[in-house]
Amino acid sequence: MNRDPKRTRKAYTAEDFCFFVDHGYNKPEERAARAFMSLVQAKQLPSFALGFFSDFKHGKASKAPWEEQALVHESFILLAPMPIDGGFTGTMLAENEVAGQVIEVQHMGQTWVIQVPDFKDYVKAENSIEIDVVRPPEPVPPGS
């Protein structure tokens, strides 16, 4: 029996030996905050999302282009999108007018057609939500 409460059987990780590691960097909330602040810095944040500023202001804007960090529509944002089979997962901010709708969003300099999940609230903010891609962007012909 282990009587010392300070001792654990958990193996050490590389982060245990780093002094300056950002422990929140890979957490979904931190990636979303960085993406949100990148949209603010690039002046691409839709006006409805300003109400969420206090929830994301702790993030530092990423050096990656904002187009890579979010799917953006005037009434919808998917922050820190991660590709999954048939769509994306990430932190969704959306107005009720797009709930359950098929909309066009900008991502990676291309137009994607997605299905927004249905919801009843006036404005919805939800982490780890899955978004289905209805139609991916048209492939760019070689040499264009």
Side-chain angles (χ1 to χ4, degrees):
M1 183 160 130
N2 184 3
R3 295 179 186 208
D4 186 358
K6 295 179 188 173
R7 292 185 70 187
T8 64
R9 293 184 178 256
K10 180 181 161 227
Y12 288 110
T13 64
E15 290 180 355
D16 293 330
F17 298 100
C18 297
F19 292 112
F20 303 107
V21 70
D22 183 359
H23 292 284
Y25 184 76
N26 286 322
K27 293 183 179 174
E29 303 83 24
E30 186 64 24
R31 286 195 316 266
R34 290 173 192 261
F36 187 93
M37 294 310 292
S38 292
L39 288 172
V40 169
Q41 187 177 34
K43 297 183 171 129
Q44 297 296 322
L45 187 72
S47 59
F48 84 92
L50 286 174
F52 297 104
F53 183 81
S54 63
D55 297 316
F56 295 106
K57 69 181 179 183
H58 68 277
K60 295 179 185 172
S62 174
K63 293 181 182 179
W66 71 267
E67 295 95 345
E68 296 176 7
Q69 301 179 59
L71 280 78
V72 180
H73 177 272
E74 62 191 22
S75 299
F76 172 91
I77 305 171
L78 185 68
L79 298 169
M82 299 295 292
I84 58 171
D85 187 34
F88 294 96
T89 184
T91 301
M92 179 185 80
L93 307 176
E95 287 185 299
N96 185 274
E97 68 184 47
V98 295
Q101 302 293 317
V102 173
I103 62 170
E104 291 183 350
V105 294
Q106 296 301 314
H107 179 57
M108 305 279 290
Q110 298 176 318
T111 301
W112 295 71
V113 179
I114 63 163
Q115 173 74 48
V116 178
D118 195 23
F119 59 90
K120 302 283 185 226
D121 302 325
Y122 179 70
V123 179
K124 178 83 167 177
E126 188 172 341
N127 193 17
S128 299
I129 194 149
E130 294 182 2
I131 303 296
D132 293 328
V133 172
V134 175
R135 190 178 71 237
E138 297 292 325
V140 178
S144 294

